[in-house]
Amino acid sequence: VRVALIVPVFLLNLLTVSLVGYLSYKSSEEVVADMKDMLVAQVRRRVDLYLNLKFEFAMRINRANLNALVHGRIPLQDTASTERFLWHRLNDFEDINTILFGSTNGTFRAVHRHTVLSAVVLAGNYDPAEPDTFYRYIADDQGGRAKAAGKIEAFPVQGRPWFSGAMAKGAPGLTEPFQIGADAALAVSCYHPFFGAQNEFQGAVAVNIPLGH
């Protein structure tokens, strides 16, 4: 009789404990899933905020460069003065690593903070006889050319994503992430087109925003 009374009670207790354990497990799974979703959403919001802030910052630089171009403070006919202007502009802002300018006539100028060379590089298609050849120079501490740093063949400005994006969109925008040459870090280009008196596309300015932070 005692066994007959104990066994059902034992089985009932075992069932109760098992059910509680199962429900606790399922509840924990749901909590973990909810926490994962919440963390993913938080990270996405922070990444979006970071990129938006970087984009707005880069756009301010682009607008300042366009203003300087319109008012003649970027003298494109004077290569040395243009390089010094862009060099000083790059040194004013540590959160960007490249300033770019390109026009529909093929002019291509860039100043880049090169992590591999640990130097600022001045670059452009300076030789009219080789309009698609991109020459590079290490900058000195005044924004002048200290020494040659090689060249890149077949590098027309029209083929660069920031330039073709500005031309196709006709409005400010961002490129897809990319790697800059031998630099390991990824970056995106923030570009801004500019237009002539008849609203024809004449070129673009851009800055590269590193994504290494």
Side-chain angles (χ1 to χ4, degrees):
V1 175
R2 182 176 300 173
V3 173
L5 292 175
I6 291 174
V7 170
V9 173
F10 173 77
L11 292 176
L12 181 61
N13 287 336
L14 180 61
L15 178 62
T16 301
V17 170
S18 299
L19 182 60
V20 169
Y22 173 76
L23 292 175
S24 297
Y25 171 75
K26 291 299 288 183
S27 178
S28 297
E29 274 192 329
E30 292 173 358
V31 169
V32 169
D34 289 343
M35 288 183 64
K36 181 192 73 173
D37 292 341
M38 182 180 67
L39 288 173
V40 168
Q42 273 188 353
V43 170
R44 184 177 292 115
R45 283 195 298 271
R46 289 182 180 181
V47 169
D48 288 343
L49 177 61
Y50 172 83
L51 290 178
N52 286 335
L53 289 174
K54 289 287 187 181
F55 178 74
E56 289 299 324
F57 175 68
M59 284 306 303
R60 287 199 297 271
I61 298 173
N62 280 338
R63 286 193 292 269
N65 288 341
L66 281 178
N67 185 61
L69 182 67
V70 168
H71 290 89
R73 293 196 297 277
I74 302 180
L76 295 176
Q77 293 76 20
D78 183 346
T79 298
S81 296
T82 298
E83 289 175 342
R84 281 194 295 273
F85 177 92
L86 296 177
W87 180 86
H88 281 290
R89 183 76 86 191
L90 184 69
N91 284 337
D92 286 340
F93 302 102
E94 295 183 357
D95 289 340
I96 61 174
N97 59 9
T98 315
I99 296 178
L100 303 139
F101 167 84
S103 69
T104 51
N105 67 9
T107 301
F108 190 179
R109 299 289 182 266
V111 178
H112 173 59
R113 192 175 282 115
H114 203 295
T115 58
V116 175
L117 297 177
S118 298
V120 174
V121 173
L122 312 171
N125 53 349
Y126 304 114
D127 189 349
E130 297 180 286
D132 292 344
T133 300
F134 198 62
Y135 292 88
R136 300 182 299 171
Y137 299 88
I138 302 296
D140 61 24
D141 59 1
Q142 298 297 317
R145 299 178 186 178
K147 63 179 180 178
K151 62 182 180 179
I152 305 173
E153 304 285 353
F155 202 69
V157 67
Q158 294 88 345
R160 311 317 305 154
W162 57 272
F163 189 90
S164 59
M167 183 166 57
K169 190 175 180 181
L174 287 171
T175 66
E176 294 294 324
F178 61 93
Q179 183 177 342
I180 305 175
D183 288 5
L186 291 177
V188 294
S189 288
C190 173
Y191 55 78
H192 197 305
F194 59 90
F195 303 91
Q198 303 302 317
N199 204 35
E200 74 279 13
F201 177 77
Q202 289 193 333
V205 294
V207 298
N208 288 346
I209 308 168
L211 300 178
H213 300 293

